[in-house]
């Protein structure tokens, strides 16, 4: 499976990580680890999560109010 990220993803990840880090030291790193874990779950089982809006699928982070939408 190929991963093609929207061009704004790196900026969004960095901004969110910095925001969390300002609230609690280490939380920004936890956010980035959660992102990688969520992406890994998708790559292992891309068809596991239900479709919505055409061919799109979504997997929510466990700990943070974010999700990865993919197709």
């Amino acid at each position: 499976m190929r991963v093609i990220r929207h061009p704004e993803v790196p900026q969004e990840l960095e901004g969110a990580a910095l925001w969390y880090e300002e609230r609690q030291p280490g939380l920004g790193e936890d956010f980035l680890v959660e992102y990688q874990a969520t992406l890994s779950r998708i790559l292992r089982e891309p068809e596991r999560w239900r479709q919505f809006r055409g061919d799109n699928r979504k997997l929510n982070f466990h700990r943070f109010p974010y999700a990865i939408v993919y197709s």
Side-chain angles (χ1 to χ4, degrees):
M1 172 182 254
R2 285 186 324 156
V3 175
I4 300 171
R5 297 189 305 184
H6 189 279
E8 294 176 13
V9 167
Q11 266 185 306
E12 287 189 29
L13 286 173
E14 182 180 347
L18 288 172
W19 189 88
Y20 281 115
E21 193 64 30
E22 289 173 357
R23 268 103 196 117
Q24 180 180 333
L27 197 56
E29 179 65 25
D30 290 351
F31 172 78
L32 294 174
V33 168
E34 180 79 18
Y35 166 77
Q36 288 298 328
T38 304
L39 184 59
S40 292
R41 289 177 67 202
I42 291 168
L43 292 172
R44 279 192 311 271
E45 300 179 271
E47 295 182 10
R48 180 173 178 181
W49 293 275
R50 69 176 179 82
Q51 288 181 305
F52 76 104
R53 295 186 189 161
D55 291 335
N56 293 317
R57 296 173 190 264
K58 177 174 81 167
L59 179 58
N60 295 323
F61 288 25
H62 284 295
R63 185 173 172 194
F64 298 91
Y66 284 81
I68 296 177
V69 176
Y70 65 100
S71 59

